[in-house]
């Protein structure tokens, strides 16, 4: 793997700089290696890097069909996700971009032919619905109506159906470009609708094998509209690239302003003279508190998150947003809270329970938010959330939508990453290191029941509502990226 | 909640002080006044530093206390010189700054804070909520110790204040041994009886000295109470040396009975709770938990130990090292790894600083979090505690009864990844990146280093003391029987 630039530790900034002149494959490899080496870490840098890389990928060449583009993005995305599966922001961004592409493709289709939905009457109900799905709210402004939340459950329903179809059909339908195997037959129609290849494939089974299962076999009306569509689609295709690029730029802009958007609601949640407990250093939380500090006086108890994040925590407390050297975080700078007249009290992690009875609010920043409202955050967060629950102190989680991952926590242990034990015990302590298992978990899983409120750039939500937002932002067919098509 | 938030109400807080605390405070103030006087003779010139040298940005306008005093700042610049916080006085060592923190606190409200550059540093760094816990600074030197303090006690005081002797039991034993030394060298003055004179005139200064090094623990308090009672009850006609020998023998017996044997009994009883295949989780370091684990290991039980540890004392590392040398399988987690550690544990063994009469456990800060996590994970929590640590006090939270350690203990040596040299890339802000080490110069920044917290009784399955295994609700019963009913 090529080192990005000489003389500087590779980071988000160096990666972004190198992105322009470099060949796309090299850039992909570079990002993969940076992710693997944890030289780009934390949700935001990962998200930005991924989005910028995908932008290059899309701009790389002319795309003959949206299907090709989706395939390409999926391939790149799969590699990136495999490089660092625990940085779920990477996968989230890939899914968002895929969503953009699908949306663009569908818009084209909708505008060119309204027949499409009816064209597959026999196929599962989803097809119709997904096609009608309105624009993916890449800008967040568009909140989709209820019906779209239904995508997830429906997908589950369709799986049995695909099972009933003959194996041969399945095999041919699952052509690599379009779709992950998990949401088998049903889900894939939706995304792939506009494409020639897809429809061609569907026709095949119909014609070739009379065994075709009832749903598919009954789609007799489809062939004609499809071919019509194909022609029109090719004309529209030229626009796809530009539109997708716009979509990704919107996404980048969202990443850029997400803190500001979240901070806008600060005054709705923080009142004067409050005592607020927060944990580790997070740009989002700092922006939120800073916004409130402009108007109100309160006290912040800052838990330092030893041993993984205490240095950045201390530096955030003392220096605010001034980062040293080429830090991977963005260029944003902000004044430390203390300079705004906010009293900040630093405590070690162990003092959380002792102080919790006097707190008014706990504000946490997640690493990733899962679809059921639970979250992954820096180690120590679950203790804080539990203590808050015990003392009936509300726990508020500030998270950009990009941290929202469509993953359900079936196995929470595997989402926890383990860090360098040298941060706990110096390696000079040879014997100790040798004989004692020193374990340094980096993340904690915080259950949804411990969280009282999520504040995202869309506003405030109950944890139980998050699955809706997930459904609004990710296509069912994109949820499983890791599978080999 | 409002009290803690509104600095203006601090005086109210004062009223709530117990008589004992008031007495302590009065004493501290007297000492402070004396020190201040002495100081003024030494270096009054410092007061003449140029006023108004203070950049306005640096005024701690956010902190309510300082905000109040702001108007007066210009009027009485000189007064401010007497209001440094305890830590400052220690650090800067200028003579007139030796004011005691308590006094400092009150004075700062009556208006003060020098407009000098230095004044900024003298912003009160004590956390409002815990203002009742900031008494005198811990004594770190024997300088200024009362003359009649015995050398053994002097040495012990320093060992205690530097955590060389740490842990409630260890401190108690060490104190009794030092008192033995002291008592052996005691001579009853003519015209006084040992029973009347020893405690009040000889032992009290020793105790006060120890208290000035670090607030005494519950076990020490119980032992002192026992000792005083013992001395008072000595037959006045007993010859001096016999009486002294008697006291020393009794002290030995006390240590033997209440601590050594008690520990063995507890270890035996608690080690039976460790079964083959158990995963024992413990926090920080408790001598009695260590004994229990070692005993169980010696019994041939196969089990694993998880040690959780926390800043700033890292006591758990000592425990882990010892267990490692004993050949046990040990895992070591930082405090943030509770959730992960708890998922493996089958038993939580905790030591105690003190068991309070409402069944709550006062122990090293962080213990409550561990117990809470264990409770949530349905892992039984067992507290091992000698009855000498049982206390008549009650507490609902960790705030009223606690100990605040110097904040400096929480500072880390600057590491490689810490802020690198001065980076002045923008002309507008020529602020160099500071580290937490500079916390004193940063207005509104405070560091809180608490020593203990209080674990709710419902998290505790069982308390093992030398009288058997009891539920936390039985703590007051045992306490009355053993510590008061003797």
């Amino acid at each position: 793997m090529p080192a990005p630039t000489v003389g500087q530790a590779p980071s988000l900034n160096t990666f972004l700089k190198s992105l322009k002149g470099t060949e796309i494959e090299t850039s992909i490899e570079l990002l993969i290696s940076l992710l693997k080496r944890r030289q780009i870490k934390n949700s935001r840098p990962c998200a930005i890097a991924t989005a910028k890389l995908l932008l290059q990928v899309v701009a790389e060449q002319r795309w003959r069909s949206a299907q090709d583009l989706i395939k390409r993005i999926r391939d790149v995305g799969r590699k990136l996700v495999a490089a660092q599966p625990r940085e779920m922001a990477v996968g989230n961004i890939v899914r968002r971009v895929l969503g953009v592409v699908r949306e663009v493709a569908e818009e084209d289709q909708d505008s060119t032919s309204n027949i499409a939905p009816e064209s597959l009457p026999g196929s599962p109900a989803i097809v119709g619905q997904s096609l009608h799905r309105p624009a993916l709210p890449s800008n967040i402004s568009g909140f989709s109506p209820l019906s779209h939340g239904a995508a997830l459950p429906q997908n589950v329903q369709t799986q049995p159906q695909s099972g009933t179809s003959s194996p041969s059909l399945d095999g041919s339908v699952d052509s690599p470009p379009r779709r992950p195997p998990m949401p088998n037959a049903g889900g894939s129609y939706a995304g792939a609708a506009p494409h020639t290849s897809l429809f061609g494939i569907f026709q095949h089974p119909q014609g070739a094998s009379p065994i075709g299962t009832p749903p598919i076999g009954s789609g007799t009306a489809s062939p004609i509209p499809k071919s019509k569509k194909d022609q029109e689609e090719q004309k529209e295709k030229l626009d796809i690239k530009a539109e997708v690029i716009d979509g990704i730029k919107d996404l980048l802009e969202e990443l850029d302003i997400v803190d500001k958007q979240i901070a806008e609601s600060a005054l709705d949640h923080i009142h004067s003279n409050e005592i607020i407990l927060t944990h580790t250093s997070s740009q989002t939380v700092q922006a939120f508190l800073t916004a409130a500090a402009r108007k109100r006086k309160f006290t912040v108890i800052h838990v330092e998150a030893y041993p993984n994040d205490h240095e950045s925590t201390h530096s955030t407390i003392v220096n605010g947003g001034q980062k040293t050297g080429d830090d991977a975080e963005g260029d944003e700078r902000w004044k430390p809270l203390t300079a705004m007249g906010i009293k900040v009290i630093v405590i070690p992690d162990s003092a959380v329970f002792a102080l919790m009875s006097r707190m008014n609010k706990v504000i946490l920043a997640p690493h990733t938010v899962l679809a059921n409202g639970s979250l992954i955050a820096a180690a120590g967060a679950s203790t804080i959330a539990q203590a808050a629950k015990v003392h009936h102190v509300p726990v508020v989680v500030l998270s950009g939508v990009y941290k929202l991952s469509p993953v359900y926590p079936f196995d929470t242990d595997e989402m926890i990453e383990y860090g360098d034990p040298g941060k706990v015990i110096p390696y000079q302590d040879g014997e100790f290191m040798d004989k004692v298992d020193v374990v340094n978990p980096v993340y904690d899983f915080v259950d949804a029941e411990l969280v009282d409120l999520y504040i995202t750039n869309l506003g405030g939500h109950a944890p139980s509502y998050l699955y809706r937002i997930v459904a609004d932002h990710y296509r069912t067919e994109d949820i499983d990226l890791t599978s080999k098509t | 909640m409002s009290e803690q938030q509104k600095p203006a109400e601090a005086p109210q807080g004062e009223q709530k002080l117990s008589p004992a605390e008031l007495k302590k405070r009065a004493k501290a103030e007297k000492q402070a006044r004396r020190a201040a006087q002495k100081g003024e003779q030494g270096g009054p010139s410092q007061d003449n530093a140029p006023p108004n040298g203070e950049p306005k940005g640096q005024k701690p306008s956010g902190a309510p206390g300082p905000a109040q005093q702001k108007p007066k700042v210009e009027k009485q610049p000189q007064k401010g010189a007497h209001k440094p916080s305890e830590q400052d006085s220690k650090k800067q060592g200028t003579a007139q700054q030796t004011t005691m923190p308590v006094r400092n606190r009150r004075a700062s409200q009556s208006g003060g804070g020098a407009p000098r550059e230095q004044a900024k540093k003298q912003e009160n760094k004590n956390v409002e909520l815990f203002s009742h816990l900031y008494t005198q600074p811990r004594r770190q030197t024997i300088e200024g110790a009362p003359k009649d303090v015995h050398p053994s006690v002097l040495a012990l005081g320093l060992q205690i204040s530097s955590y060389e002797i740490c842990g409630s039991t260890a401190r108690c034993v060490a104190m009794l041994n030092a008192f033995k030394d002291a008592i052996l060298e005691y001579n009853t003055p003519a015209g006084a009886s040992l029973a009347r004179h020893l405690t009040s005139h000889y032992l009290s200064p020793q105790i006060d000295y120890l208290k000035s090094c670090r607030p005494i623990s519950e076990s020490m308090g119980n032992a002192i109470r026992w000792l005083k009672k013992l001395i008072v009850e000595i037959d006045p006609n007993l010859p001096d040396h016999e009486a002294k020998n008697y006291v020393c023998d009794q002290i030995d017996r006390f240590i033997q009975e209440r601590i050594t044997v008690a520990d063995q009994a507890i270890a035996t009883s608690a080690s039976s709770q460790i079964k083959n295949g158990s995963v024992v989780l413990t926090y920080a370091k408790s001598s009695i938990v260590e004994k229990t684990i070692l005993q169980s290991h010696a019994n041939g039980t196969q089990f694993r130990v998880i040690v959780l540890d926390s800043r700033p004392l890292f006591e758990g590392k000592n425990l882990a090292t010892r267990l490692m040398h004993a050949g046990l399988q040990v895992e070591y987690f930082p405090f943030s790894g509770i959730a992960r550690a708890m998922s493996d544990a089958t038993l939580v063994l905790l030591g105690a600083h003190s068991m309070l009469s409402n069944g709550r456990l006062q122990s090293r800060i962080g213990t409550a979090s561990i117990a809470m996590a264990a409770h949530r994970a349905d892992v039984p929590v067992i507290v091992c505690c000698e009855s000498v640590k049982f206390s008549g006090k009650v507490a609902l939270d960790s705030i009223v009864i606690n100990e605040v350690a110097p904040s400096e203990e929480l500072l880390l040596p600057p590491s490689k990844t810490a802020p690198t040299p001065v980076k002045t890339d923008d002309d507008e802000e020529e602020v160099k990146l500071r580290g937490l080490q500079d916390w004193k110069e940063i207005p509104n920044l405070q560091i809180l280093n608490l020593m203990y917290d209080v674990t709710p009784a419902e998290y505790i399955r069982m308390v093992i003391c030398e009288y058997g295994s009891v539920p936390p609700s039985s703590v007051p019963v045992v306490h009355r029987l053993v510590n008061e009913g003797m």
Side-chain angles (χ1 to χ4, degrees):
Chain A
M1 318 256 158
T5 31
V6 199
Q8 229 180 356
S11 68
L12 176 65
N13 286 339
T14 55
F15 171 73
L16 293 182
K17 269 179 222 153
S18 75
L19 207 49
K20 286 225 173 80
T22 330
E23 261 194 39
I24 194 72
E25 284 305 326
T26 325
S27 291
I28 294 172
E29 289 304 313
L30 174 58
L31 181 56
I32 287 174
S33 70
L34 286 175
L35 284 172
K36 276 188 178 160
R37 293 192 221 126
R38 311 294 277 127
Q39 278 159 338
I40 292 185
K41 57 175 181 179
N42 293 337
S43 298
R44 183 193 316 262
C46 284
I48 294 175
T50 310
K52 291 250 166 103
L53 179 71
L54 290 180
L55 191 64
Q56 299 290 321
V57 169
V58 173
E60 172 194 12
Q61 61 178 71
R62 293 192 54 183
W63 297 97
R64 284 193 39 247
S65 72
Q67 205 51 59
D68 291 346
L69 181 55
I70 288 176
K71 175 184 186 316
R72 171 73 171 148
I73 294 176
R74 280 193 72 102
D75 284 345
V76 173
R78 194 180 312 119
K79 279 192 230 162
L80 294 180
V81 170
Q84 197 49 259
R86 290 192 189 92
E87 289 290 4
M88 294 188 211
V90 174
N92 296 346
I93 294 297
V94 172
R95 291 185 187 104
R96 293 280 291 272
V97 171
L98 283 172
V100 170
V101 178
R102 291 185 198 276
E103 172 203 334
V104 169
E106 281 161 20
E107 265 172 15
D108 282 350
Q109 184 194 352
D110 282 348
S111 58
T112 51
S113 92
N114 287 326
I115 317 163
E118 292 90 50
S119 69
L120 299 166
S123 59
I126 336 160
V127 173
Q129 289 202 357
S130 321
L131 284 174
H132 279 306
R133 187 187 271 204
L136 199 74
S138 57
N139 264 340
I140 297 322
S141 48
F143 225 143
S144 41
L146 288 185
S147 61
H148 309 291
L152 273 174
Q154 272 173 356
N155 176 44
V156 176
Q157 283 172 357
T158 59
Q159 271 177 323
Q161 280 182 341
S162 71
T164 58
S165 64
S166 71
S168 67
L169 173 67
D170 254 300
S172 55
V173 165
D174 285 353
S175 73
R178 281 174 276 114
R179 65 119 124 10
M182 190 182 79
N184 257 342
S188 65
Y189 289 65
H195 309 299
T196 34
S197 55
L198 174 66
F199 289 97
I201 284 162
F202 275 124
Q203 281 168 333
H204 260 297
Q206 278 171 354
S209 78
I211 317 161
T213 49
I216 291 177
S218 60
T220 43
S222 47
I224 307 162
K226 270 180 216 153
S227 56
K228 224 189 254 168
K229 213 187 329 151
D230 289 348
Q231 296 165 352
E232 282 158 347
E233 201 182 305
Q234 249 150 18
K235 292 174 207 154
E236 300 293 327
K237 206 133 289 171
L238 303 174
D239 297 339
I240 288 185
K241 182 169 153 184
E243 281 182 43
V244 170
I245 287 180
D246 279 350
I248 298 179
K249 282 190 174 150
D250 286 346
L251 201 59
L252 278 167
E253 197 192 326
E254 180 197 325
L255 291 178
D256 207 35
I257 59 170
V258 70
D259 285 348
K260 221 179 281 168
Q261 286 176 322
I262 293 176
E264 274 167 16
S265 55
L267 289 177
D268 300 340
H269 296 279
I270 295 178
H271 60 75
S272 292
N273 270 345
E274 244 183 330
I275 305 186
I276 292 170
L277 184 137
T278 183
H279 182 225
T280 73
S281 67
S282 150
Q283 257 187 69
T284 315
V285 173
Q286 290 296 315
F288 190 80
L289 294 177
T290 308
R294 288 200 192 96
K295 291 268 168 62
R296 288 165 199 173
K297 294 284 172 240
F298 49 94
T299 304
V300 174
I301 310 275
H302 212 131
V303 186
E304 61 181 5
Y306 183 84
N308 292 307
D309 296 321
H310 63 283
E311 277 164 3
S312 59
T313 307
H314 291 169
S315 141
T316 308
I317 294 168
V318 174
N319 299 313
Q322 297 169 49
K323 294 287 181 176
T324 43
D326 51 9
D327 210 291
E329 303 280 339
D331 309 317
E332 277 186 63
R333 321 171 112 242
W334 66 89
K335 279 203 286 183
L337 283 170
T338 50
M340 305 186 70
I342 300 298
K343 189 182 282 175
V344 178
I345 303 173
V346 184
I347 59 167
D349 298 41
S350 49
V352 165
F353 194 94
L355 287 171
M356 193 55 84
S357 58
R358 296 297 180 275
M359 296 301 120
N360 296 114
K361 208 160 275 163
V362 171
I363 297 186
L364 293 179
H367 177 70
T368 302
V369 180
L370 305 177
N372 71 340
S374 43
L375 63 129
I376 311 274
S382 83
T383 310
I384 294 174
Q386 284 176 24
K389 190 80 185 170
V390 167
H391 290 99
H392 300 287
V393 177
V395 176
V396 179
V397 177
L398 306 182
S399 161
V401 166
Y402 70 95
K403 287 185 182 173
L404 207 61
S405 183
V407 174
Y408 279 86
F410 294 115
D411 182 4
T412 55
D413 273 355
E414 74 178 11
M415 295 175 196
I416 306 297
E417 185 174 334
Y418 295 90
D420 175 12
K423 285 185 170 172
V424 185
I425 298 285
Y427 283 110
Q428 291 91 308
D429 256 330
E431 195 190 3
F432 192 91
M433 275 303 215
D434 230 26
K435 293 189 180 163
V436 175
D437 286 333
V438 181
V439 189
N440 177 17
V442 176
Y443 299 124
D444 249 1
F445 174 78
V446 181
D447 200 75
E449 60 158 32
L450 299 176
V451 180
D452 293 275
L453 185 69
Y454 276 94
I455 300 178
T456 67
N457 34 348
L458 302 177
H461 321 282
S464 54
Y465 182 76
L466 285 189
Y467 80 98
R468 274 268 142 86
I469 301 180
V470 168
D472 290 341
H473 284 77
Y474 305 110
R475 295 301 183 94
T476 331
E477 53 270 35
D478 294 329
I479 284 180
D480 188 12
L481 282 174
T482 46
S483 63
K484 273 273 177 196
T485 60
Chain B
M1 181 123 316
S2 56
E3 306 162 44
Q4 291 86 19
Q5 293 166 345
K6 290 182 209 146
E9 289 181 19
Q12 250 188 26
E14 280 169 19
Q15 287 162 8
K16 278 190 243 152
L17 290 177
S18 69
E21 275 169 310
L22 282 173
K23 214 160 65 184
K24 211 189 289 170
R25 170 177 293 195
K27 209 181 292 166
E29 277 185 325
K30 207 163 79 188
Q31 237 170 320
R33 234 173 290 134
R34 230 180 288 141
Q37 268 169 11
K38 224 189 286 169
E40 242 145 28
Q41 291 160 7
S45 63
Q46 296 244 358
D47 278 358
N48 302 333
N52 299 328
E54 163 187 18
K56 66 170 179 175
Q58 304 258 13
K59 255 185 227 166
S61 54
Q68 267 193 344
Q69 69 195 45
K70 236 206 289 191
K72 297 198 183 173
V73 161
E74 266 78 34
K75 281 186 226 157
Q76 345 177 294
Q78 316 242 324
K79 223 183 163 187
H82 297 287
K83 278 101 197 170
S85 74
E86 48 182 335
Q87 292 92 342
D88 284 329
S89 66
K90 219 185 292 161
K91 211 180 189 178
Q92 303 169 346
T94 38
Q96 92 259 54
Q97 285 174 343
T98 30
T99 331
M100 289 299 151
V102 179
R103 173 176 157 80
N104 153 26
R105 162 160 225 86
R106 227 191 260 155
S108 72
Q109 263 163 4
S110 65
R116 300 178 289 137
E117 182 77 3
Q118 258 191 338
K120 285 173 293 169
K121 298 182 195 164
Q122 287 158 15
E123 176 205 8
N124 196 339
K125 286 295 186 187
N126 293 351
V127 176
E128 199 88 33
L129 191 50
F130 292 91
S131 53
H132 60 287
L133 294 175
Y134 292 91
T135 49
Q136 310 149 266
R138 278 191 199 168
R139 181 192 290 279
Q140 308 280 5
T141 62
I142 54 169
E143 203 180 309
K147 269 183 267 134
D148 41 4
V149 175
H150 188 271
S152 307
V153 180
L154 279 180
L156 172 66
L158 295 187
Q159 284 173 314
I160 286 179
S161 76
S162 64
Y163 300 112
E164 220 164 289
I165 293 183
C166 189
S168 174
T169 317
R171 274 153 71 199
C172 178
V173 172
M175 179 191 73
L176 288 173
N177 282 327
F179 282 176
K180 240 168 52 182
D181 290 353
I183 289 170
L184 282 177
E185 289 187 19
Y186 166 79
N187 289 311
T188 316
S193 77
L194 180 137
R196 308 250 161 245
H197 186 266
L198 175 60
T199 313
S200 53
H201 291 90
Y202 187 67
L203 232 36
S204 292
Q206 324 271 351
I207 295 168
D208 286 342
Y209 167 77
L210 284 182
K211 278 182 184 163
S212 74
C213 293
R214 207 187 137 182
I216 60 171
S217 71
E218 195 54 45
S219 54
M220 292 161 90
N222 279 335
I224 289 170
R225 239 166 283 140
W226 166 83
L227 185 60
K228 284 183 175 169
K229 199 172 165 216
L230 177 84
I231 293 172
V232 168
E233 284 169 0
I234 291 176
D235 181 2
N237 299 324
L238 210 61
D240 232 22
H241 71 276
E242 267 181 47
K244 288 197 286 186
N245 283 340
Y246 169 74
V247 172
C248 290
D249 287 350
Q250 286 298 312
I251 291 179
D252 281 339
R253 230 194 81 209
F254 182 89
I255 296 177
Q256 180 72 15
E257 267 179 18
R258 301 293 305 274
I259 295 172
T260 318
V261 175
D263 277 2
Q264 273 163 13
I266 295 170
T268 310
S269 163
S271 62
S272 69
Q273 299 291 331
I274 303 178
K275 309 278 186 326
N276 272 326
S278 289
V279 180
V280 178
L281 187 146
T282 184
Y283 176 59
K285 179 178 181 299
S286 152
S287 56
I288 179 75
V289 168
E290 183 188 332
K291 280 195 190 107
T292 303
I293 291 173
L294 290 178
Q295 168 123 34
S296 193
H297 182 63
N299 292 347
T301 317
Q302 294 293 315
F303 63 103
R304 208 148 56 90
V305 181
I306 296 177
V307 179
L308 270 150
D309 206 356
S310 72
R311 247 159 58 76
L313 292 178
F314 294 113
E315 297 161 292
K317 198 182 157 194
N318 277 331
L319 176 66
T321 312
R322 298 227 204 161
L323 297 181
M324 165 188 93
H325 287 310
L328 274 141
Q329 196 188 342
V330 185
E331 274 179 76
Y332 179 88
F333 280 77
F335 192 81
S336 54
I338 295 183
R340 175 67 190 73
M342 201 56 76
S343 62
D344 283 354
T346 61
L347 176 71
V348 175
L349 281 183
L350 295 175
H353 173 73
S354 156
M355 283 299 305
L356 304 173
S357 266
N358 52 348
R360 298 195 173 212
L361 161 71
Q362 189 182 26
S363 192
R364 178 67 66 238
I365 184 125
T367 307
S369 300
I370 309 270
M372 173 189 65
H375 183 75
R376 247 181 95 82
D378 276 336
V379 179
V381 176
I382 294 178
V383 177
C384 302
C385 179
E386 300 96 337
S387 63
V388 72
K389 292 181 187 170
F390 284 20
S391 158
K393 290 181 200 157
V394 289
L396 291 171
D397 56 30
S398 318
I399 292 168
V400 182
I401 304 179
N402 212 326
E403 181 183 339
V404 173
S407 307
E408 283 78 7
E409 286 168 11
L410 277 176
L411 301 178
L412 292 158
S415 74
K416 28 189 175 26
T417 39
T420 39
V422 197
K423 197 190 171 209
T424 54
D425 42 26
D426 266 41
D427 16 357
E428 39 149 328
E429 286 176 273
E430 285 214 353
V431 194
K432 69 168 180 176
L433 289 172
R434 294 184 289 192
L436 203 61
Q437 296 82 2
D438 308 317
W439 69 290
K440 288 222 172 99
E441 281 107 65
I442 300 171
N444 292 326
L445 180 60
Q446 302 175 334
I447 301 180
L448 178 64
N449 185 10
L450 285 177
M451 293 294 288
Y452 302 109
D453 64 10
V454 171
T455 307
E458 68 255 33
Y459 296 157
I460 300 168
R461 237 7 115 74
M462 182 157 81
V463 180
I464 299 184
C465 67
E466 67 265 35
Y467 294 92
S469 308
V470 298
S473 52
S474 298
V475 168
V477 182
V478 176
H479 171 69
R480 223 174 69 169
L481 272 175
V482 187
N483 294 333
E484 290 176 348
M486 268 196 307

